[in-house]
Amino acid sequence: MSSPTVYARSYERIARLCTAGGDSRELRARVLRELRDVLGFDAFAFLLTDPATEVGCAPVARIPDLSDLPRIVRLKYLTPANRWTTLSRAAALSGYEPGKRGPMWAEALRPLGVRDLASAVFRDRHGCWGFLDLWRYGAEFGPAELGLLDRIAGPVASALRAGQAATFTARPPGAVRPGPLVLLLAPDLRVHGRTPDSDAYLARLIPPEEGRAPVPAAAYNVAAQLLAREAGVDAHPPHARVPLPDGLWLTLRAARIGDEEPATERRIAVTIEETTPAERLDLFARAHGLSARETELLALLAEGADSHALADSLFLSEHTVQDHLKSVFAKTSTHSRRALLARALGT
């Protein structure tokens, strides 16, 4: 076990990484390298989440067998113990009696020889921005180690939110927008079929290693959330909004199809389509930390309201409306209504 001084210095280094910001994938990789040096772990999964539905996407992960990913994701979502949607602070499965650690422990971790799993969630008042699982074979996680994970939660949440905010850019004229794409999954989440362009967009979500097919991890996550909802584990809807590097946001949704088999035996269709303007505005407001009144003002701007109409709709003076607009411009690093809407709507 490391000393309190080592943990304090590790926290300071991670806080500096978070302040520096940058691409969320690279940020997560740097945080993981720092944690590995101090805590030590053998496998990990560090996911972004849709801030409203809390469904995972865009993982940075290393597990023993990538072919086992659908099963691991399914079991993770079906496990109530230390579920990121209910965590208020970092915790470990070793804090539960073995019989209460849930299906991920019983069916996956214990058979693999995993000794413990530590989980942390990265949440602020604007939503849930990600979660982290660390697997360890040799020893259980101690209170001081969990304390470090808990302490970094605030800076990491802020950095992940800032990273999502940076993905909102105005798309160039004539940019190709995807039609509906579909992946067909078996109840165990194995892929049974897909529409022709699905792989191209999956590869943009998680760039695969050279010569490998893209891993549909985001599809596994929304489908697993559907299973969790059906099992009564979690009530969030089975969909997630995911950014691409060029300013496009995609929404993935999962639903059962067919009506001949029992409900739990039906295949799952995961649709992938461009995020709607209303959903994109919600994400933009959350990512940039807009207040409820500023979010309402942004929605009215997107509908074409001028200053007079804004004042009437919000029951404010035009002077107060201008003050709110200035605040929105400052938070979003824009200087005009046109630039603001171009970023928010991706037009």
Side-chain angles (χ1 to χ4, degrees):
M1 179 179 291
S2 299
S3 70
T5 300
V6 170
Y7 291 132
R9 289 175 178 170
S10 180
Y11 166 78
E12 291 170 359
R13 288 192 292 270
I14 290 175
R16 286 196 295 271
L17 289 174
C18 292
T19 300
D23 174 78
S24 65
R25 181 169 290 272
E26 181 57 32
L27 170 68
R28 285 178 285 161
R30 292 195 297 265
V31 170
L32 284 164
R33 285 194 290 270
E34 173 62 33
L35 290 175
R36 184 185 296 114
D37 290 342
V38 177
L39 301 183
F41 50 84
D42 301 289
F44 60 85
F46 196 165
L47 284 79
L48 302 180
T49 53
D50 182 304
T53 69
E54 306 191 11
V55 176
C57 59
V60 172
R62 186 184 68 205
I63 63 172
D65 183 359
L66 188 60
S67 67
D68 202 27
L69 183 61
R71 187 173 73 98
I72 295 294
V73 173
R74 177 175 59 82
L75 294 172
K76 170 66 179 176
Y77 276 74
L78 290 173
T79 295
N82 281 356
R83 203 176 197 275
W84 68 100
T85 51
T86 59
L87 277 183
S88 58
R89 58 189 305 118
L93 280 182
S94 57
Y96 292 79
E97 295 178 7
K100 296 182 179 179
R101 295 177 184 177
M104 187 176 182
W105 172 261
E107 299 178 37
L109 300 183
R110 186 172 63 180
L112 286 171
V114 174
R115 180 73 179 275
D116 202 2
L117 181 147
S119 300
V121 63
F122 307 109
R123 185 194 310 277
D124 63 17
R125 63 190 181 91
H126 302 288
C128 179
W129 301 98
F131 69 87
L132 170 65
D133 279 352
L134 302 177
W135 301 18
R136 186 186 277 175
Y137 292 102
E140 296 178 352
F141 288 93
E145 295 171 311
L146 296 176
L148 174 60
L149 291 176
D150 198 44
R151 193 177 179 198
I152 69 170
V156 172
S158 295
L160 294 180
R161 179 162 63 84
Q164 296 293 61
T167 66
F168 285 90
T169 58
R171 304 195 74 217
V176 176
R177 298 181 181 274
L181 310 169
V182 181
L183 275 79
L184 188 62
L185 308 183
D188 65 359
L189 305 192
R190 301 286 175 177
V191 177
H192 271 219
R194 65 194 83 195
T195 50
D197 292 334
S198 299
D199 276 355
Y201 282 92
L202 290 170
R204 294 175 67 191
L205 289 174
I206 307 176
E209 295 181 8
E210 186 69 28
R212 289 195 173 187
V215 177
Y220 295 153
N221 276 263
V222 293
Q225 177 59 27
L226 175 65
L227 300 182
R229 187 180 173 98
E230 292 174 344
V233 173
D234 183 81
H236 286 91
H239 70 257
R241 298 164 292 185
V242 188
L244 295 180
D246 62 355
L248 178 68
W249 277 76
L250 300 177
T251 299
L252 291 85
R253 303 180 192 276
R256 296 280 188 177
I257 61 172
D259 55 11
E260 295 180 0
E261 304 91 348
T264 57
E265 297 178 15
R266 297 173 192 166
R267 293 185 181 182
I268 300 170
V270 176
T271 59
I272 307 172
E273 55 192 341
E274 184 174 3
T275 300
T276 66
E279 289 178 324
R280 187 176 167 113
L281 283 173
D282 170 68
L283 286 163
F284 183 85
R286 289 174 181 269
H288 289 89
L290 301 190
S291 68
R293 180 50 61 91
E294 290 165 348
T295 300
E296 188 178 3
L297 181 147
L298 176 63
L300 291 169
L301 276 179
E303 294 174 0
D306 59 17
S307 294
H308 181 71
L310 289 171
D312 283 349
S313 297
L314 298 173
F315 301 100
L316 299 172
S317 70
E318 290 191 31
H319 177 76
T320 302
V321 165
Q322 291 304 315
D323 286 342
H324 282 306
L325 276 173
K326 289 178 183 177
S327 176
V328 172
F329 291 155
K331 290 179 178 180
T332 60
S333 300
T334 55
H335 301 90
S336 70
R337 300 183 190 197
R338 177 176 295 180
L340 171 66
L341 291 177
R343 286 194 61 213
L345 297 173
T347 55

